[in-house]
């Protein structure tokens, strides 16, 4: 049972470098999400997708781009990394909109990103 | 300012003690969820409550949704070291078409 898999698990970037975080789910879920988690702030939504080929902005989208070319994959890109993007990034997927009754979201194990 | 404020932010208790974690907002939520997150892992859903005043029990954990659907609480009876983790509330905000927000989190440590 792979569930939601994130790669890489750890990464250190220099300011201005770019990278892509990959999220893969094998549960045939329509909805996928990217969150960042910072101390004392809980999880904040960066971008989300309600199906293959669709993406939408969340609460904190600036500095990030996403793509959902295949239903099972949701990519998060940082074009020019900044120290403020140092965080733990979580991907999640679910059958329906997060928070609705009988709709459970499943999270990956996270990617710890440090920008120096 | 976070939409969902949790208190306390940190809690350290002895095994066997009881505790309550609070999740408060000035906004109304269509539903509210509680998650538990262990170090190095993603959050795992514990419960979803959708009706004002609703109480749900999960073994030693009791979850309550406020009558006005603006707040929630998590009560743990006879805490065990296995309860250690970060507890997150999260809710679908009614006025924004159920946009989903996470709370600030409560880090619980249960000392054997």
């Amino acid at each position: 049972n792979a569930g939601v898999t994130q790669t890489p698990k750890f990464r250190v970037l220099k300011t201005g470098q770019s990278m892509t975080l990959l999220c893969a789910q094998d549960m045939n879920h329509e909805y996928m999400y990217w969150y960042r988690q910072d101390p004392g702030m809980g999880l904040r939504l960066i971008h989300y997708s309600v199906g293959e080929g669709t993406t939408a902005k969340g609460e904190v989208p600036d500095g990030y781009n996403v793509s959902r070319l295949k239903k099972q994959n949701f990519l998060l890109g940082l074009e020019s990394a900044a120290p403020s993007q140092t965080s733990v990034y979580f991907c999640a997927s679910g059958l329906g909109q997060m928070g609705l009754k009988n709709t459970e979201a499943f999270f990956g194990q996270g990617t710890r990103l440090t920008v120096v | 300012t976070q939409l969902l404020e949790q208190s306390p932010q940190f809690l350290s208790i002895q095994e066997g003690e009881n505790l309550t974690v609070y999740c408060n907002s000035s906004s109304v939520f269509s539903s509210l969820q509680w998650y538990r997150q262990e170090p190095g892992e993603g959050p795992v859903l514990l419960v979803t409550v959708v009706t004002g005043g609703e109480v749900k029990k999960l073994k030693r954990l009791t979850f309550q949704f406020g009558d006005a659907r603006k707040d929630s609480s998590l009560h743990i009876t006879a805490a065990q070291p296995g309860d250690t983790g970060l507890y997150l509330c999260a809710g679908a905000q009614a006025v924004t078409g159920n946009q989903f927000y996470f709370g600030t989190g409560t880090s619980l440590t249960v000392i054997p």
Side-chain angles (χ1 to χ4, degrees), chain A residues 40-79:
Chain A
M41 302 190 75
L43 282 88
R44 292 180 293 168
L45 182 64
I46 304 170
H47 286 281
Y48 65 99
S49 168
V50 301
E52 180 180 321
T54 73
T55 63
K57 294 180 179 180
E59 194 180 349
V60 287
D62 294 342
Y64 305 94
N65 57 75
V66 288
S67 65
R68 184 100 181 265
L69 298 179
K70 292 183 178 181
K71 186 177 183 178
Q72 63 268 33
N73 295 337
F74 196 28
L75 279 64
L76 177 70
L78 286 73
E79 290 187 348

Side-chain angles (χ1 to χ4, degrees), chain B residues 21-32:
Chain B
V21 176
Y22 299 94
C23 174
N24 295 301
S25 178
S26 57
S27 193
V28 176
F29 290 87
S30 303
S31 66
L32 204 133

Side-chain angles (χ1 to χ4, degrees), chain B residues 1-38:
Chain B
T1 305
Q2 295 290 104
L3 191 63
L4 284 163
E5 294 282 347
Q6 289 184 235
S7 61
Q9 186 176 359
F10 298 97
L11 188 56
S12 182
I13 62 171
Q14 295 288 330
E15 182 176 359
E17 291 184 346
N18 301 330
L19 67 113
T20 302
V21 176
Y22 299 94
C23 174
N24 295 301
S25 178
S26 57
S27 193
V28 176
F29 290 87
S30 303
S31 66
L32 204 133
Q33 297 183 325
W34 284 92
Y35 290 79
R36 180 165 158 262
Q37 184 180 15
E38 297 190 18

Side-chain angles (χ1 to χ4, degrees), chain A residues 35 37 39-44 59 90 97-101 103-105 107-109, chain B residues 2 9 31 33 35 37 40-43 45 50 86 88 97-98 100-104:
Chain A
Y35 284 91
Q37 185 173 34
M41 302 190 75
L43 282 88
R44 292 180 293 168
E59 194 180 349
F90 285 97
Q97 183 178 349
M98 192 174 284
L100 296 183
K101 190 177 181 182
T103 299
E104 181 175 356
F107 284 82
Q109 291 187 308
Chain B
Q2 295 290 104
Q9 186 176 359
S31 66
Q33 297 183 325
Y35 290 79
Q37 184 180 15
E41 301 289 333
L45 179 65
V50 298
L86 180 68
L88 295 158
N98 292 325
F100 195 70
Y101 296 93
F102 278 86
T104 50

